[in-house]
Amino acid sequence: MILSRSSTVVLAAAMVAAGLLGAPASAEPGPVPANPDRGSPGTRDSSTREFGNGAERNEVAATGADRGISAFELPRAQPRRWAPARQGYPRQTELPLPPENPADKSIKLGLVPYHGIAPRLNALQEESDRVSAEIIGHSALGRDLYLVTVTAPETPPESAQQDRWRALIENDPRAAGGDPWMRRHYKAPLWINANIHGDEWEGADGALRVIERLATAEDAATARLLSRTRIYVTVTNNPDGRVAGTRANGAGFDINRDHATNSQPESRAVRDVVIGTQPFVMLDEHGYTGTTLIEPATPPHGQNYEYDLYIKHALPNAEGMEAAIRKLGYPETARADIPFRDYAPGDWDDWPPIFTPMYAMYHGAVGHTVEIPWQVNRNAYETLPVEELRRRSAVNTDVAAATIEATITYADTNRAALLADQIEQFRRGWAGEPSPFIPDGFVEGFGPEDRYSTTFPRAYVIPVGAAQRSPAAAARLVDHLVAHDIRVTRARRAFVLAGRAYPAGSYLVDMRQPKRGLANVLLEAGRDISALVPQMYDISGWSHRLLWGASVDISATAAPRVATTEVSVASPVGGVDAPAGRNLSLSLRDGADVRAVNALLDAGVPVRRTDAATAVVPAAARDKAAIVAERFGVRFTTAPRGSAGTPLRKPVIAAAASADELFALREMGFEVRPVSTTLLNAGADLSGVDTLVVSSGLSYGQLNAGARAAVDDVLARGGVVTRGGTGAAFNAAAGLLPATAVAGRGDANGVVAVRNAGSVVGTGSLPHSFVYSPLWFTGTGFTVEQRYEADPLVAGHWRPVAAGVGGPEQAAGQAAVISGMTARGGRAVLFGTEPLFRAHPKGLYAQFARALYWAAG
């Protein structure tokens, strides 16, 4: 009998009631409490998955040092850079050797330290003509990122033929499907990504073991395998974290949340790898979940996947990996958890495109997260004996290697079907076919709860000219799409689409393209899935169309009929549209506008503001304005005569904030001094600070007398901008604005509709914002800058805490952002939204910047 998961969950509940099965952990999501037994094999508990926002969002202030980059040096977003070299295999590179670092955290576990990876790869390249190693980028702290390719030697013409076939699969899938020579000789590409979370080490060591075996094996079976396969390995996707023993990279970002945003060099590097290699299957090696966990995942499934083509391979490959770890013979590897098979909906989902395997699926891969069993990081790392840590790491390394070997076997055995299904995924995109209905029982356990789909629009249009809210945001979005291998064209002449007229030069995203799923998952609004699953692991809404600041229109059914040119990079958009001798005006609508203003202030230009959203630059600084206009893609217009305004100063900011917020503030060109309760109590200097940002790691009540006096001085002569629960608590404790903060459910998140009202944050802001753990404010004695709309949640997951408490219905119409003069004489702005979240909602940056300028006075 085939049961869907909804049926098995009911059955499990009955077994719990009968005392035949232990009760599961609470379904209420939230941070997992510290547990010394966490990660012990045999603890079957989906709550061991780490939630997307832990203490670092609200309780721990980031302390990253300012790198001192001038706003004039900040680069414009670049198209993808790494691509396979046009030469044969092996294409060996002598990797530079990093200095030895005895403090590398992997050494204690008996694993290969980062500085030991390059020597091993260099030795393998010397020993074997099957191994090629190269540098594909650099980490946030500048460490080399390695890609290893293991395959049988190829002449340059043979490699060129493989490249042509790979392109044919994407560009002309019908021709690819009809090419018997390609079907016979195309090498199956696999990609193994290891150590994306720096303190989940052993995936790198397991991958190195497999590389070494394949490089040196002398049996005929291995030779035949490599003659029809290319195996690509990013040995450590996070060398900064590997060395330091941290989940995050050197900038404090979780790289496995960054694939839709690409704010970090590590995620950009593997984006380029998945595009350049187009793998049939990929593994992302993680840890530690107690029992080995192997995806596919639970619902909700991403509605833009070609899920039938995925699950038909993902489930049997996962079961093959389970069989492989069982053969290791350890008691703790007797089974694996396969969430699709074993967990309830919402316990371990694959909804957002932020995770590596989910992102790779849009490029034609069957993606799996693999979580190895034994915990060796954090508390275990600090408290367990070295012998026990090394025993655990040895088991983990065996598990990682076994899952990789099993996947290689699956891909080789099922090469023809994987090739045909990748071709089919791209063919559907080109043909504009709807994703097919998947019947119950398509694979064992598939039921109605797994059925997610969407209706693809015919096209998106990113207009230019008067219809474009922000030319800089439009160019940024176009460059982002192109970097992700989404096809964007530019109209050669004016045209009409879906009843709207567009000027020549407008951008088109025709959805008849091979990677339509990726295009749509980035550009669609998304979906309110609150009623479909009880909880979600991480973000459930992220729309680039609604949050990145550009005007983007949708044509649901009408096809674009205009001659176009393929876009490789967005056309320059910056300029000065004002007669010589006239003052210049710049609307602060986008983070790029803020970067431009801060660059001018750094250059000594006397910028003034006529209101919170408008900066005026004197005519004498026209040349400098032209430089920043070109650099950041902003457009200056003619300032009205007599618009003198008041001087605008670049505020000096002290921020008790999360790492992503520090990154976003510096991305806009602000000078930021990281602070926290601990640093302030230790005497951190606040002299010269104009504005205090409070969102994480600062408690007014826990400040000692000296620190409190220093903070009070800032609050009296300057201002404060807060975000979230930590910021609201600071406001209440310091007695700033007479507002009561009301909290929504802690894991509630998504894109929300807002109504802009105030003159500081509200002016020029988007009609949408982003929330995670949303807040709203009640009371009087302040200005409401932004309110939640009557039906606030556009896309995401937001359930009430309890009946009638903390849900979107209670937030409707309430104040999301407020401002006002404080009782101490300073200024304050309080955000209940997340305008800088993970450096993603680019179109919200400017409202936070306007709050900073205004609060500084």
Side-chain angles (χ1 to χ4, degrees):
M1 178 175 63
I2 297 175
L3 295 175
S4 70
R5 256 96 23 80
S6 56
S7 301
T8 59
V9 170
V10 172
L11 177 61
M15 294 174 71
V16 170
L20 301 176
L21 186 68
S26 169
E28 178 67 18
V32 180
N35 179 357
D37 296 324
R38 181 172 178 269
S40 300
T43 57
R44 188 189 189 107
D45 180 3
S46 63
S47 70
T48 57
R49 190 176 195 184
E50 295 198 46
F51 286 88
N53 282 326
E56 75 283 354
R57 284 297 301 169
N58 299 293
E59 299 169 26
V60 179
T63 58
D66 194 330
R67 302 186 186 199
I69 300 175
S70 163
F72 276 93
E73 299 175 293
L74 290 168
R76 180 182 172 183
Q78 296 295 315
R80 64 178 189 272
R81 289 171 289 182
W82 180 85
R86 295 183 178 276
Q87 61 189 80
Y89 280 102
R91 47 188 69 167
Q92 295 171 329
T93 304
E94 184 175 353
L95 303 174
L97 302 183
E100 291 192 12
N101 182 359
D104 188 307
K105 295 288 188 177
S106 57
I107 295 173
K108 182 177 180 180
L109 303 173
L111 302 173
V112 181
Y114 173 72
H115 62 258
I117 295 174
R120 289 181 72 159
L121 295 178
N122 284 340
L124 281 171
Q125 291 184 106
E126 285 284 334
E127 183 178 358
S128 173
D129 61 1
R130 298 170 176 174
V131 177
S132 302
E134 59 187 304
I135 295 168
I136 56 167
H138 299 89
S139 71
L141 297 183
R143 293 186 172 94
D144 293 339
L145 301 173
Y146 306 126
L147 175 69
V148 177
T149 305
V150 186
T151 193
E154 299 170 10
T155 66
E158 287 171 337
S159 290
Q161 181 60 72
Q162 293 291 320
D163 292 344
R164 285 193 294 270
W165 279 332
R166 182 177 62 248
L168 188 70
I169 292 168
E170 179 182 349
N171 298 332
D172 193 350
R174 286 189 179 277
D179 186 339
W181 192 253
M182 190 203 74
R183 293 200 303 271
R184 184 175 178 182
H185 295 286
Y186 183 59
K187 286 187 170 184
L190 286 75
W191 173 40
I192 311 301
N193 192 48
N195 202 198
I196 191 170
H197 290 147
D199 63 352
E200 298 167 11
W201 291 271
E202 296 92 342
D205 297 80
L208 284 170
R209 180 184 299 176
V210 174
I211 292 168
E212 290 170 347
R213 185 193 72 76
L214 294 172
T216 59
E218 298 180 356
D219 59 289
T222 301
R224 287 194 299 271
L225 167 74
L226 295 178
S227 72
R228 55 183 180 253
T229 311
R230 283 184 184 171
I231 300 163
Y232 302 97
V233 183
T234 37
V235 180
T236 170
N237 192 192
N238 184 359
D240 297 345
R242 184 175 185 83
V243 171
T246 59
R247 177 182 178 92
N249 72 346
F253 276 72
D254 186 332
I255 306 166
N256 203 38
R257 304 293 181 274
D258 193 47
H259 290 294
T261 308
N262 278 166
S263 70
Q264 299 303 296
E266 297 90 345
S267 69
R268 293 193 292 271
V270 295
R271 172 201 67 195
D272 296 349
V273 168
V274 72
I275 292 170
T277 64
Q278 206 166 290
F280 289 168
V281 185
M282 75 81 56
L283 300 185
D284 204 26
E285 294 281 348
H286 288 255
Y288 306 97
T289 48
T291 300
T292 301
L293 181 145
I294 305 169
E295 289 176 343
T298 70
H301 306 303
Q303 62 186 14
N304 289 281
Y305 299 143
E306 302 297 331
Y307 195 74
D308 60 320
L309 303 177
Y310 167 75
I311 195 61
K312 66 188 287 189
H313 294 291
L315 184 57
N317 188 34
E319 291 174 336
M321 286 187 268
E322 180 181 42
I325 68 167
R326 187 180 297 123
K327 289 178 182 177
L328 294 173
Y330 297 115
E332 55 264 48
T333 62
R335 64 173 177 82
D337 282 351
I338 299 175
F340 178 89
R341 182 189 70 188
D342 300 329
Y343 289 173
D347 279 355
W348 190 286
D349 66 88
D350 58 15
W351 177 252
I354 60 176
F355 310 122
T356 317
M358 283 68 257
Y359 175 73
M361 287 162 64
Y362 292 108
H363 294 282
V366 176
H368 301 262
T369 297
V370 174
E371 299 271 356
I372 54 183
W374 274 113
Q375 185 180 10
V376 295
N377 60 0
R378 305 181 200 171
N379 185 60
Y381 187 94
E382 299 298 334
T383 60
L384 291 177
V386 171
E387 294 78 7
E388 173 60 11
L389 287 172
R390 294 191 172 190
R391 185 193 72 81
R392 291 184 174 199
S393 276
V395 173
N396 288 340
T397 302
D398 288 349
V399 170
T403 59
I404 295 168
E405 294 276 13
T407 292
I408 293 171
T409 299
Y410 181 88
D412 186 48
T413 304
N414 296 277
R415 175 185 165 281
L418 287 162
L419 171 59
D421 289 334
Q422 189 178 80
I423 290 171
E424 172 63 10
Q425 176 171 333
F426 296 149
R427 187 201 66 79
R428 290 178 188 175
W430 280 115
E433 293 181 3
S435 298
F437 176 85
I438 307 176
D440 291 356
F442 178 76
V443 296
E444 186 171 1
F446 187 95
E449 69 275 17
D450 293 298
R451 199 169 288 119
Y452 285 79
S453 62
T454 192
T455 300
F456 294 103
R458 186 59 183 82
Y460 290 96
V461 183
I462 304 172
V464 298
Q468 180 50 251
R469 175 186 178 274
S470 170
R476 178 178 58 232
L477 180 59
V478 167
D479 286 342
H480 188 73
L481 295 173
V482 170
H484 285 270
D485 203 30
I486 294 166
R487 290 153 197 255
V488 183
T489 61
R490 197 166 195 205
R492 297 181 187 174
R493 56 177 175 78
F495 65 99
V496 175
L497 181 62
R500 296 177 181 173
Y502 296 97
S506 294
Y507 297 98
L508 281 159
V509 182
D510 189 332
M511 292 297 286
R512 300 285 174 89
Q513 62 171 294
K515 296 180 181 178
R516 64 171 180 183
L518 182 57
N520 208 48
V521 79
L522 298 182
L523 292 174
E524 70 176 351
R527 181 176 178 181
D528 180 355
I529 57 173
S530 306
L532 301 178
V533 290
Q535 76 274 334
M536 289 289 288
Y537 168 48
D538 206 276
I539 63 167
S540 308
W542 52 84
S543 175
H544 295 59
R545 176 168 62 85
L546 300 183
L547 297 178
W548 272 42
S551 303
V552 183
D553 296 334
I554 304 171
S555 175
T557 58
R561 298 187 181 279
V562 61
T564 61
T565 301
E566 185 176 349
V567 173
S568 59
V569 64
S571 297
V573 295
V576 177
D577 300 328
R582 292 293 300 275
N583 288 347
L584 312 177
S585 177
L586 181 64
S587 295
L588 303 183
R589 289 188 166 193
D590 189 80
D593 302 317
V594 178
R595 290 166 75 176
V597 166
N598 281 337
L600 291 171
L601 292 170
D602 286 340
V605 175
V607 180
R608 304 176 75 84
R609 61 181 175 188
T610 55
D611 56 46
T614 306
V616 175
V617 177
R622 184 186 182 93
D623 288 347
K624 290 182 178 179
I627 292 172
V628 299
E630 190 277 332
R631 188 76 179 116
F632 302 122
V634 303
R635 298 204 73 85
F636 291 88
T637 59
T638 306
R641 294 188 185 278
S643 54
T646 58
L648 177 62
R649 293 186 302 108
K650 180 179 175 181
V652 176
I653 299 167
S658 57
D660 55 338
E661 291 170 317
L662 285 183
F663 181 91
L665 291 170
R666 289 168 175 167
E667 197 175 24
M668 289 187 283
F670 287 109
E671 176 190 343
V672 186
R673 303 180 192 175
V675 296
S676 65
T677 304
T678 301
L679 289 174
L680 290 170
N681 284 341
D685 183 16
L686 293 182
S687 60
V689 168
D690 300 301
T691 304
L692 183 64
V693 173
V694 182
S695 62
S696 187
L698 178 54
S699 168
Y700 186 81
Q702 293 178 12
L703 295 173
N704 61 32
R708 184 173 295 189
V711 168
D712 288 346
D713 177 63
V714 174
L715 297 178
R717 60 180 169 77
V720 62
V721 178
T722 78
R723 187 270 305 164
T726 296
F730 181 90
N731 173 75
L736 302 178
L737 296 183
T740 299
V742 182
R745 185 165 133 161
D747 68 334
N749 73 88
V751 181
V752 293
V754 294
R755 184 168 67 254
N756 295 301
S759 61
V760 177
V761 170
T763 299
S765 289
L766 294 170
H768 297 94
S769 192
F770 182 81
V771 295
Y772 202 119
S773 303
L775 293 180
W776 54 95
F777 303 97
T778 62
T780 59
F782 49 79
T783 298
V784 176
E785 295 285 340
Q786 196 175 80
R787 293 186 183 274
Y788 294 108
E789 284 283 12
D791 185 10
L793 187 62
V794 174
H797 189 273
W798 184 352
R799 286 187 165 194
V801 176
V805 179
E809 296 83 2
Q810 288 71 53
Q814 299 292 340
V817 184
I818 61 174
S819 67
M821 300 299 296
T822 72
R824 298 167 178 266
R827 299 179 176 190
V829 182
L830 279 57
F831 283 84
T833 57
E834 286 269 6
L836 307 181
F837 185 82
R838 296 181 187 167
H840 178 71
K842 309 292 188 186
L844 309 183
Y845 277 23
Q847 58 185 252
F848 201 87
R850 293 196 301 271
L852 292 172
Y853 289 134
W854 178 82

